[in-house]
Amino acid sequence: MHPNGDHAPAWSPDGKTLAFLSTRDGDEADVWQVHLDRRLDGMTPGESATYRELLGKLDRTPPSVAAVQSAAVAAPNTQLRPLDLDDAYLRLTRVTEWRGDEGDLALVPTGVVASQATEDGQRVLYHLDPKGERTELARSASLSDVSWSGKTLLLVQHGRAAQIPSSGGKLERIGFSQQLDVDRQAETSQKFTEAARVLGETFYHPTLKGLDWPALSARYHDLATRSRTAAEFSEVANRFLGELNASHLGIYPPTERPDTYQPHGRLGVDVREEPAGAVVTRVLEQGPAARAPTPLLEGDRIVAVQGAAWTASDTLEARLRGRVGQETRLEVERPRADGEPLRLTVLVTPVSWGEARTLRYQAWTADCRDRVHALSQGRLGYLHIRGMNLPSLMEFERDLFAAAYGREGLVVDVRNNGGGWTADRVLGALMARPHAYTVPRGADPAFTRGYPQGRLYIQRYADPVNMLCNEKSFSNAEILSHAFRTYGRGTLVGEQTYGGVISTGAMTLLDGTRVRLPFRGWFLLDGTDMENHGAVPQLRVPQTPEDEVAGLDRQLEVAVQDLLERLDR
């Protein structure tokens, strides 16, 4: 009865209480619970304790089929008390409000079992009693099953089986050894058959785009069973999926990094590698090189790393292998006016590829912002939305007021945005119309933007706005682009978006291979399928490689010019 997502149902031992995970209050999955027998709602603490004691004594041994059939013959007219379902949605109670998403949910006679994600990515499994007392059960463990009595939890921790009393106690490892003979051809056949069957049952297009799916499956199955490696299987399977000509598809075998794997460190610089050293051509703000005690500067030449002199075949990336997070000593020659370089020792701590990528993204968005300010002479603000996900949404809301402060309009950019799920929330910010304004006593009555900001679902922007998109705007970023044009909120500028819009899930095959399952299509109000039909800007502006080399952003320029013209009408 609630529009938000409910999942992972768990039943009490007697089937009279239902718990589940829900995002109905906020974006985090919490545990909610309802008694489907209304009589349980009115229990006193003493009655509740007695009831839970009885739950622990239930004989929950799975009955045989013969026993069930005998019971049905012996008492054909026996009626169980019906569950109270009509008002169940009004009697829900929230069990947890922990930070992050809860998971691994189970109901046991003594309370609730659920896990919580920690900041470092671990999951901690807890037992929560009826009084709200929380007991830690295990760390880095996932709940696999609950014993029939409900008194023992079966876990997987660090790849090993274990068990622990459901209300807390000593965790015991369950050791076993087994040799498994795998018929690789049979395994490959099973993998492919299962993937083809599930995809054929769930793919969003009801006729699978008119394909003869059984015939295609048989043809590619013959090829797949001849594959000898995971890479060969993936090649055949992905060609099979390609017959659908759709996005959000793929087959990904499990991969393991070798023990010798070492990530390459990044300094937050661009370099020109020469036989005599790596010459710094750019230093990213807030990067490791910029924040070092002795910052690197453009023109510096790195001639040694960790005491090892540079050789003609070296690259900076190779020299920084395995140095992520480790202080690294660089020998640097810095040019001087007299021609004799200054020799320096620079201590810097390299970051990962992901951190360096974020630094480059921040530098690019700062450059776009400065260009918009310069082109509009300070009249327009600029915001880029990196992804259609919760972190990007929080950054959008954080930066919206700052970007728009003191400016007449805003350019919102979703170029190179890979998608997600937050389009409607961004639209909530851009489409909300003011219905009133407030003026406290003594304030300037000409200021009409004083509506209490804390009452808004998301911070709104009601002034003129343009949106930028391009061929690398994907999925949910395309939905946002389509909606922006459909609503007529402003001018959509750039290039046609990719044309890949399907809601997708995934399944895992028996060897861990992951298969994406696009299951829900998205359509414009006129019936147009957004898949293979990208959002077309009113003002189409190609961005060529020559422009990028020259440092030009014609799409940004056109968006600014169009918005200024609207403001001046």
Side-chain angles (χ1 to χ4, degrees):
M1 292 300 177
H2 196 281
N4 284 13
D6 301 327
H7 62 284
W11 297 88
S12 63
D14 62 354
K16 294 183 177 181
T17 300
L18 172 67
F20 55 92
L21 300 177
S22 178
T23 57
R24 61 184 54 214
D25 187 2
D27 292 308
E28 295 180 345
D30 297 307
V31 179
W32 292 72
Q33 179 176 288
V34 60
H35 297 307
L36 300 179
D37 183 340
R38 192 185 292 109
R39 294 174 299 177
L40 301 180
D41 285 331
M43 282 187 173
T44 64
E47 292 171 334
S48 180
T50 302
Y51 167 67
R52 291 184 176 279
E53 188 175 328
L54 292 174
L55 285 182
K57 296 178 180 179
L58 281 179
D59 180 9
R60 300 191 68 226
T61 303
S64 65
V65 174
V68 172
Q69 292 173 339
S70 299
V73 172
N77 297 319
T78 300
Q79 297 290 326
L80 294 175
R81 184 183 186 279
L83 298 176
D84 301 308
L85 300 179
D86 290 344
D87 64 344
Y89 75 100
L90 298 173
R91 296 184 289 106
L92 287 169
T93 58
R94 189 176 189 171
V95 179
T96 66
E97 296 184 56
W98 304 341
R99 184 174 181 179
D101 290 326
E102 276 78 278
D104 294 311
L105 178 62
L107 286 183
V108 295
T110 53
V112 174
V113 171
S115 65
Q116 178 188 23
T118 62
E119 291 184 359
D120 60 1
Q122 290 189 77
R123 292 207 72 88
V124 183
L125 193 66
Y126 293 100
H127 173 271
L128 191 67
D129 70 16
K131 296 180 180 179
E133 294 293 328
R134 187 163 63 161
T135 302
E136 182 177 320
L137 301 176
R139 286 181 172 262
S140 300
S142 59
L143 178 65
S144 179
D145 208 343
V146 183
S147 66
W148 275 93
S149 67
K151 296 179 181 179
T152 304
L153 306 178
L154 304 179
L155 313 176
V156 176
Q157 185 184 56
H158 304 304
R160 298 180 60 187
Q163 64 182 19
I164 190 172
S166 56
S167 58
K170 182 180 179 182
L171 184 131
E172 299 179 3
R173 301 285 187 186
I174 303 174
F176 61 89
S177 176
Q178 179 65 44
Q179 181 174 340
L180 182 67
D181 294 326
V182 177
D183 183 330
R184 291 296 185 188
Q185 190 172 30
E187 181 188 51
T188 300
S189 174
Q190 169 66 18
K191 284 164 52 180
F192 185 89
T193 301
E194 186 174 355
R197 175 183 60 80
V198 175
L199 188 60
E201 293 172 350
T202 59
F203 186 70
Y204 87 105
H205 197 284
T207 68
L208 284 85
K209 299 190 173 181
L211 296 173
D212 186 342
W213 197 248
L216 271 177
S217 299
R219 178 155 63 91
Y220 279 94
H221 174 267
D222 182 55
L223 290 171
T225 54
R226 300 182 193 182
S227 64
R228 294 171 179 255
T229 66
E232 289 178 353
F233 176 81
S234 296
E235 176 71 17
V236 173
N238 279 307
R239 286 180 179 271
F240 170 58
L241 300 184
E243 299 280 357
L244 288 167
N245 188 28
S247 64
H248 295 80
L249 285 166
I251 286 187
Y252 311 96
T255 57
E256 295 183 5
R257 285 179 173 173
D259 294 337
T260 57
Y261 171 77
Q262 292 179 302
H264 297 273
R266 303 296 198 280
L267 302 181
V269 297
D270 291 338
V271 297
R272 182 180 66 254
E273 283 151 346
E274 299 177 348
V279 179
V280 177
T281 59
R282 183 189 182 193
V283 180
L284 297 176
E285 289 187 21
Q286 302 305 314
R291 292 184 286 106
T294 302
L296 287 177
L297 302 177
E298 290 185 21
D300 285 352
R301 183 186 298 273
I302 300 171
V303 296
V305 178
Q306 287 293 99
W310 191 270
T311 65
S313 61
D314 273 341
T315 66
L316 185 59
E317 182 176 293
R319 295 298 300 271
L320 295 176
R321 180 184 177 190
R323 303 301 303 176
V324 175
Q326 299 184 35
E327 189 174 66
T328 300
R329 187 174 77 256
L330 308 177
E331 300 300 326
V332 174
E333 292 181 352
R334 177 165 294 171
R336 290 195 298 188
D338 60 7
E340 184 66 26
L342 176 66
R343 188 86 176 200
L344 298 171
T345 297
V346 174
L347 297 178
V348 61
T349 302
V351 296
S352 67
W353 175 86
E355 292 173 283
R357 184 169 180 262
T358 295
L359 289 170
R360 294 187 179 278
Y361 167 76
Q362 292 169 343
W364 176 73
T365 54
D367 181 61
C368 289
R369 180 196 62 217
D370 294 343
R371 290 189 187 192
V372 169
H373 292 174
L375 289 168
S376 67
Q377 296 182 333
R379 297 174 64 188
L380 303 180
Y382 171 86
L383 264 181
H384 185 268
I385 303 175
R386 188 177 190 182
M388 308 306 291
N389 50 39
L390 193 57
S392 294
L393 182 71
M394 294 175 66
E395 290 180 4
F396 171 79
E397 187 174 20
R398 178 198 68 189
D399 296 339
L400 181 58
F401 184 79
Y405 183 74
R407 307 190 191 278
E408 302 172 52
L410 188 65
V411 175
V412 175
D413 193 349
V414 293
R415 293 178 296 176
N416 313 315
N417 181 317
W421 59 272
T422 57
D424 287 280
R425 299 202 179 177
V426 174
L427 288 171
L430 298 179
M431 298 307 301
R433 291 287 185 259
H435 60 85
Y437 67 90
T438 60
V439 181
R441 180 168 177 167
D444 182 359
F447 183 74
T448 61
R449 301 169 183 259
Y451 190 87
Q453 300 301 303
R455 299 184 186 182
L456 297 172
Y457 175 66
I458 186 173
Q459 297 305 317
R460 70 180 173 214
Y461 184 78
D463 286 343
V465 60
N466 274 359
M467 182 171 287
L468 281 164
C469 65
N470 66 1
E471 65 278 10
K472 295 181 182 178
S473 302
F474 186 72
S475 195
N476 200 248
E478 300 185 71
I479 295 172
L480 178 62
S481 301
H482 275 296
F484 187 82
R485 178 163 183 174
T486 296
Y487 282 137
R489 179 65 175 88
T491 304
L492 188 63
V493 182
E495 268 295 3
Q496 182 172 348
T497 62
Y498 181 86
V501 183
I502 317 176
S503 295
T504 188
M507 66 173 291
T508 303
L509 303 178
L510 72 167
D511 69 339
T513 295
R514 182 170 171 267
V515 184
R516 300 189 80 188
L517 301 174
F519 68 95
R520 182 173 58 207
W522 284 77
F523 300 85
L524 297 176
L525 296 180
D526 64 3
T528 300
D529 189 345
M530 294 188 199
E531 177 73 5
N532 295 332
H533 295 92
V536 181
Q538 288 106 324
L539 295 177
R540 296 190 67 166
V541 183
Q543 182 73 6
T544 66
E546 291 81 4
D547 287 340
E548 294 197 7
V549 170
L552 300 176
D553 191 338
R554 300 191 191 279
Q555 294 172 342
L556 195 69
E557 293 174 4
V558 171
V560 169
Q561 180 182 1
D562 176 77
L563 187 49
L564 289 175
E565 289 175 357
R566 289 215 316 275
L567 288 172
D568 292 336
R569 286 174 191 164

